[in-house]
Amino acid sequence: MRRGRVLEGITLGWNVAGIVVLGVAAVAAGSVALAGFGLDSLVEIGASTVVLWELAGSGAGRQRRALRLIGGAFLALAGYLAVQSVIVLVTGYRPGHSLLGIAWTAVTAAVMFTLAAGKARTGRALGNPVLMTEGRVTLVDGILAVAVLAGLVLNAAAGWWWADPLAAIVIVFYALREAREIFLGGP
């Protein structure tokens, strides 16, 4: 339990810092992918808070409520990013480059993959479905960091402005998949 709390605390702290860094980078570059990844960090903060709350108590009802809260946050994220990405693609808005965003997403990917492995191992040891689910969320957060990183690098290196909103759309599909799994119990 202590290890689970520590892993969630690290995730929480990283994502709080991420909101600030990603917010600055998103505004400076006008990047929907960075804004979306920042919002995903906000969802991660909520998920970590819910897991910490759930680890402090017990019971199936508490676990169901925790999972529904996480699922609802993913639905809200998907809706926002879908609208923003379509607007950017339709209007042809060209985001600027962001070295800060590239650096942050690269480091975030490594951190999230490490945290996800620890949460999966700890969740299995505890038999805790909420911690295991949040561990999957953290794993996919690392994958999302790689997708956003790819969009940012393609925009900066090749001038492919549309790679930025497409990276945000990857987050939409991830968020919908996670919400579906939470609410319906599987893909």
Side-chain angles (χ1 to χ4, degrees):
M1 284 294 230
R2 187 175 67 80
R3 185 173 21 164
R5 286 187 197 102
V6 167
L7 290 167
E8 288 305 325
I10 292 169
T11 304
L12 189 60
W14 186 268
N15 283 305
V16 167
I19 286 177
V20 174
V21 172
L22 292 165
V24 168
V27 169
S31 169
V32 70
L34 285 172
F37 198 54
L39 288 173
D40 179 65
S41 293
L42 187 60
V43 171
E44 279 282 331
I45 288 169
S48 291
T49 303
V50 167
V51 172
L52 288 170
W53 168 76
E54 193 276 331
L55 288 174
S58 62
R62 191 174 182 110
Q63 287 181 350
R64 276 192 305 278
R65 279 190 302 279
L67 289 171
R68 279 191 296 242
L69 287 169
I70 293 169
F74 280 118
L75 287 175
L77 174 65
Y80 171 79
L81 285 179
V83 169
Q84 281 296 105
S85 296
V86 168
I87 289 170
V88 168
L89 286 168
V90 168
T91 63
Y93 174 78
R94 290 167 171 25
H97 307 305
S98 176
L99 293 177
L100 175 61
I102 289 170
W104 183 262
T105 55
V107 174
T108 295
V111 169
M112 291 301 124
F113 290 140
T114 302
L115 287 170
K119 290 177 187 182
R121 190 173 38 257
T122 304
R124 276 191 306 276
L126 292 172
N128 186 302
V130 174
L131 186 56
M132 288 186 289
T133 297
E134 212 282 320
R136 284 194 322 271
V137 168
T138 303
L139 173 66
V140 177
D141 198 33
I143 295 167
L144 292 176
V146 171
V148 171
L149 177 62
L152 295 173
V153 168
L154 288 171
N155 181 36
W160 294 359
W161 63 269
W162 45 265
D164 184 270
L166 287 182
I169 290 173
V170 169
I171 299 171
V172 170
F173 285 109
Y174 146 73
L176 290 173
R177 184 185 66 91
E178 286 298 318
R180 179 178 184 205
E181 192 167 314
I182 288 168
F183 289 122
L184 302 178

